Amino acid sequence: MAEAKVLKAQARDGVGKGAARELRRQGLVPAVIYGDKQAPVTVSLAYKDAHKFIYAGGFLSHVIELDVDGTKHTVIPRDYQLDPVKDFPLHVDFLRVGKGTKLTVQVHVHFINEEASPGLKRGGTLNIVRHTVEVSAPANAIPEEITVDMTGFDIGDSIHISAVKLPQGVTPTITDRDFTIATIVAPSALKSAGEEDETEEAAEAPKAAAPKAE
C-alpha cells in the first residue's frame, strides 16, 4: 500500500444548506468526518484540493491523513457529491479509520506479462469482465491494484479470482463462487476459419441411408 496522502481541511461551525452554500461561494467544499464511535466533525476543504484528489483516481479506496487545523485524522473517503451539470465537488464524507479496521473497497485490476500469453500472441483478445474487484482489506494495507499475471493463458481460457495472488489479509467479498475476471477470446478471423471448417466437414460427411421398409 502506498503511503497515505495528506489533505488539509479547516474546522467549520455552520451546518445546513445555507452554510454549505456560503462555503462554496468562498471556494470551499463542505465535508464531514464520522465513525469509529466518535462524534461527527464538520470541516471544509479547499475546492482545488478536493477536485484534485477526487479526479486523481481511486479516491474511495485510499486512506488519507486529513489535517484539520493541525490535528490529523486517519480517514477514507466513503462518498462524495458532484454538481450534476458542472461536475465540481459539492460535499465529501470521510470515515475514520481506527486500529484494526477492515474496509470493503473496490480495487482496480492490472494485467501483466501479456507478451507471455500464448493466446494473446496468437491474436486473441483480452476480454475484461471485471475492471475492479471488491475486496475486504485491512485499512492500513489496501492494495493499490490487483495484479493478474497472463503468463500461459491461451485462447478460450478464463482467468478466475482463484488464479490471482492477493496480498495477505485481503479477501474478495464474493465467496460463493470462483468468479471470472477476464477471458481470452479468439480473433474474428480465427472464428470465421473455424466456422468454415465446420461447414465443410458437415458437407463432406456421408449422409445416413434412409431406412428400408421390410
Side-chain angles (χ1 to χ4, degrees):
M1 180 187 127
E3 184 179 350
K5 297 179 180 179
V6 177
L7 177 61
K8 290 187 176 295
Q10 300 173 1
R12 63 183 175 96
D13 296 324
V15 294
K17 292 183 178 179
R21 282 195 295 267
E22 179 58 31
L23 282 172
R24 296 184 189 110
R25 279 194 290 266
Q26 298 173 21
L28 300 172
V29 178
V32 63
I33 307 169
Y34 66 95
D36 200 28
K37 298 179 181 180
Q38 299 180 45
V41 174
T42 53
V43 300
S44 61
L45 314 168
Y47 169 82
K48 61 180 180 61
D49 292 339
H51 188 278
K52 177 183 176 181
F53 270 68
I54 289 172
Y55 285 98
F59 184 58
L60 298 180
S61 60
H62 285 78
V63 172
I64 292 173
E65 290 292 340
L66 196 61
D67 185 341
V68 183
D69 300 326
T71 300
K72 290 189 177 181
H73 302 257
T74 303
V75 301
I76 186 168
R78 287 322 251 172
D79 195 15
Y80 60 88
Q81 298 171 13
L82 299 177
D83 181 274
V85 177
K86 299 181 180 179
D87 284 340
F88 53 71
L90 295 176
H91 191 274
V92 183
D93 290 340
F94 294 103
L95 176 68
R96 290 188 186 91
V97 175
K99 187 177 180 180
T101 299
K102 292 200 76 172
L103 300 170
T104 298
V105 294
Q106 294 280 350
V107 180
H108 176 72
V109 177
H110 177 59
F111 297 88
I112 62 171
N113 295 330
E114 295 185 20
E115 69 284 354
S117 163
L120 296 181
K121 289 176 71 173
R122 289 169 55 203
T125 301
L126 179 61
N127 175 42
I128 302 175
V129 178
R130 294 176 181 268
H131 291 272
T132 63
V133 172
E134 186 178 78
V135 299
S136 174
N140 62 347
I142 298 173
E144 285 291 305
E145 59 190 17
I146 290 174
T147 302
V148 179
D149 189 343
M150 297 299 298
T151 301
F153 286 103
D154 208 341
I155 290 173
D157 286 346
S158 296
I159 300 98
H160 298 98
I161 188 63
S162 60
V164 179
K165 185 177 181 181
L166 296 174
Q168 185 174 1
V170 177
T171 56
T173 57
I174 297 175
T175 57
D176 61 343
R177 63 187 185 277
D178 190 13
F179 58 86
T180 301
I181 295 176
T183 60
I184 301 180
V185 297
S188 55
L190 191 57
K191 286 182 181 178
S192 298
E195 290 169 358
E196 289 175 3
D197 291 343
E198 290 177 3
T199 302
E200 291 176 1
E201 289 175 4
E204 294 173 359
K207 295 183 179 178
K212 296 179 179 179
E214 294 181 355

